[in-house]
Amino acid sequence: MLQMVTTRDISRHGARLEGIEREFTPGEIISLSYRNNKARFQVSWMGDARTNRAGEMGVQIIDPAKCIWDAATLPPATADTYAAKAKERRQHRRVPCKLGAELYMQGSDALVRVDVRDISEGGCFLEMHTLPPDQGQVKIMVWANNTKLAMRGIVASRRPGFGISIKFTEITEEMRQQLRFFIQSVMVKQV
């Protein structure tokens, strides 16, 4: 079957494709052509039809020595985001959200306004372009259900160009209850 698709993101070893019209199975081998270049790729994941990833697919090249993309269009070498996702290691389930927040980084009194993209009782992911150092300590104020939640944490991981994951290290029991209430309300809306 021949199908025209769009590359959403590319790397030296894979791509995120959109406009996929049929289901593929992770592990399935497909062929991609770009300009006069052709290579075989393995399907890493398919976007769930019930999510904003519907019609998307992550693929990894079979022969890493062969790259079909133009060198000028490739991003700098980084971790490949198209690999199959590792087993979930979090203790608490994160829920997607879009909340405004204020971030205070260790050693600075200035606040940085950020968006919280997902949150759990144990941490959150903040969308931001300028990244603080790994393991840097932070204070975060999140607005959820008209309530200001104040927590302290550390930068658990960094994704250049996307943002940071924060692991909460200090949160009062009152704030934890408010956060739990917010998470439950989001989970109910998703059902």
Side-chain angles (χ1 to χ4, degrees):
M1 174 183 154
L2 182 64
Q3 181 186 340
M4 185 75 87
V5 298
T6 304
T7 53
R8 180 70 171 190
D9 297 305
I10 60 171
S11 75
R12 285 166 171 60
H13 303 288
R16 178 165 53 123
L17 309 175
E18 62 181 15
I20 307 300
E21 296 174 355
R22 77 168 186 89
E23 263 319 288
F24 287 86
T25 306
E28 192 172 341
I29 306 298
I30 64 169
S31 179
L32 290 179
S33 297
Y34 174 72
R35 296 196 176 161
N36 293 326
N37 302 315
K38 186 175 181 180
R40 293 174 358 128
F41 287 76
Q42 183 174 24
V43 176
S44 297
W45 57 268
M46 268 308 288
D48 189 328
R50 300 166 298 197
T51 69
N52 61 348
R53 296 272 178 158
E56 292 186 4
M57 175 170 65
V59 295
Q60 287 190 300
I61 196 159
I62 300 292
D63 181 1
K66 186 172 186 176
C67 180
I68 66 172
W69 318 115
D70 292 333
T73 61
L74 285 171
T78 60
D80 200 330
T81 58
Y82 308 107
K85 293 187 176 165
K87 184 179 177 187
E88 181 63 58
R89 296 178 305 166
R90 294 186 185 104
Q91 292 177 330
H92 306 282
R93 178 177 172 215
R94 287 198 178 179
V95 295
C97 61
K98 184 160 174 77
L99 302 172
E102 298 171 356
L103 179 69
Y104 298 87
M105 295 182 235
Q106 182 180 22
S108 174
D109 291 332
L111 71 90
V112 178
R113 295 199 188 280
V114 294
D115 287 325
V116 179
R117 300 306 296 183
D118 65 43
I119 195 163
S120 76
E121 288 183 49
C124 64
F125 183 80
L126 306 178
E127 200 172 72
M128 60 188 301
H129 299 288
T130 304
L131 304 180
D134 273 337
Q135 301 300 312
Q137 295 184 357
V138 298
K139 179 180 174 184
I140 183 169
M141 306 287 195
V142 179
W143 293 94
N145 291 344
N146 297 319
T147 302
K148 183 177 178 181
L149 305 175
M151 289 132 335
R152 292 189 181 274
I154 60 167
V155 177
S157 68
R158 303 161 23 125
R159 293 186 56 209
F162 296 99
I164 59 174
S165 292
I166 301 292
K167 179 179 180 182
F168 299 144
T169 57
E170 292 178 38
I171 182 170
T172 66
E173 190 54 39
E174 178 186 354
M175 293 292 123
R176 187 176 304 281
Q177 291 297 331
Q178 291 290 336
L179 180 57
R180 193 174 290 146
F181 176 75
F182 170 75
I183 292 168
Q184 289 170 348
S185 71
V186 170
M187 290 171 68
V188 167
K189 290 177 188 174
Q190 290 177 350
V191 174

